[in-house]
Amino acid sequence: MKRNIVIATVAVATLVGGGTATAFALGGDGETSAAGRSSVQLKGDDRHDERDDVTDDRRDDARDAQDDRDDRHDSDDRDDRDEDARDAAAAKAAKVSAADAVAAALRSASGTAVSAELDEEDGGLVWDVDVLGKGDTWYSVEIDPGTGKVLGTHTERDAEDTAEARAALKGATVTAAEAAKAVAGKGRVTSVDLDDDRSGKGVWEVETVSGKGAESHWNVDLGSGRVASGPADD
């Protein structure tokens, strides 16, 4: 149940390059505290002639239309390949695994991790880990994917999300970190997230990226740790 409460959160699509990324840590009242910086940067006759002319025009139009379709298809293929390459580069640049990012976040904010996602922040990569604390307190902890250092923490309270998460986690014996480890052999884990929309029965949804950037989705049972192929994004 990704909460997206960090200042700027977008999908991973970045290359190791120049520039710097700043991740802000906010207090519960929205006050800015210490800022951190990610170490991982991104980057015939007349009538006959007339009929022939019309026929030729129609053929030209048909060829132009086909060329346009081919161009769009080629462009889409190039875009897909470029995106896969960016995803692969971003995943490879993250030296800290999802499981290790969760562990680092829990050392900073006590509670239960419900999601971890590799995100882009102003040209740099961060692990964004959501932790359910005591009562209805939530922490969003940003972890440097190169060093494992905590870059910042945002705190807020949300009773509704708390109730949903606790209901989904009821009886769970498999943690977010364990779910990430269970799928790690299938590719580089870029996100692990608690799905609480399955009629009260939760499941860990894990996304991996191959060396070529192809995404795969997996479901990990909260009780048994059994891994099953999950649905692809729409």
Side-chain angles (χ1 to χ4, degrees):
M1 53 180 302
K2 187 63 184 170
R3 293 167 52 76
N4 293 324
I5 59 177
V6 180
I7 291 177
T9 300
V10 295
V12 176
T14 180
L15 294 171
V16 178
T20 57
T22 301
F24 295 96
L26 303 183
D29 295 327
E31 296 178 355
T32 301
S33 58
R37 176 171 297 175
S38 174
S39 66
V40 181
Q41 298 302 306
L42 304 169
K43 217 158 217 314
D45 54 18
D46 291 342
R47 288 190 300 274
H48 181 72
D49 290 341
E50 290 175 0
R51 286 194 298 271
D52 287 344
D53 289 342
V54 171
T55 300
D56 289 341
D57 288 343
R58 289 174 178 171
R59 288 173 179 169
D60 290 341
D61 290 342
R63 283 194 295 270
D64 289 343
Q66 183 62 46
D67 288 343
D68 288 341
R69 287 192 293 269
D70 290 342
D71 288 343
R72 286 195 296 271
H73 181 71
D74 291 342
S75 178
D76 289 342
D77 285 345
R78 285 193 298 271
D79 289 344
D80 289 342
R81 288 194 296 270
D82 289 346
E83 183 176 355
D84 286 348
R86 288 193 298 269
D87 288 348
K92 186 176 181 180
K95 306 303 182 183
V96 176
S97 69
D100 289 339
V102 168
L106 291 177
R107 287 194 293 269
S108 174
S110 179
T112 302
V114 297
S115 71
E117 185 173 5
L118 190 61
D119 288 336
E120 178 188 350
E121 285 285 348
D122 297 331
L125 289 178
V126 297
W127 277 109
D128 180 18
V129 183
D130 283 344
V131 177
L132 174 58
K134 292 183 179 180
D136 59 358
T137 301
W138 287 87
Y139 305 99
S140 181
V141 186
E142 290 188 348
I143 304 296
D144 188 316
T147 66
K149 177 183 177 181
V150 175
L151 299 175
T153 303
H154 175 95
T155 304
E156 70 172 23
R157 297 182 182 277
D158 191 319
E160 182 177 353
D161 280 356
T162 297
E164 293 176 355
R166 295 199 188 282
L169 289 167
K170 187 177 181 179
T173 59
V174 178
T175 66
E178 291 169 340
K181 289 179 180 178
V183 181
K186 301 181 181 297
R188 291 180 180 267
V189 175
T190 55
S191 73
V192 54
D193 189 22
L194 175 65
D195 181 0
D196 56 358
D197 296 326
R198 296 173 180 266
S199 302
K201 184 178 180 181
V203 66
W204 291 114
E205 292 186 340
V206 184
E207 181 176 304
T208 60
V209 174
S210 71
K212 294 183 178 180
E215 293 182 356
S216 297
H217 301 262
W218 312 90
N219 291 334
V220 180
D221 189 274
L222 290 173
S224 66
R226 179 178 176 271
V227 178
S229 180
D233 290 336
D234 294 334

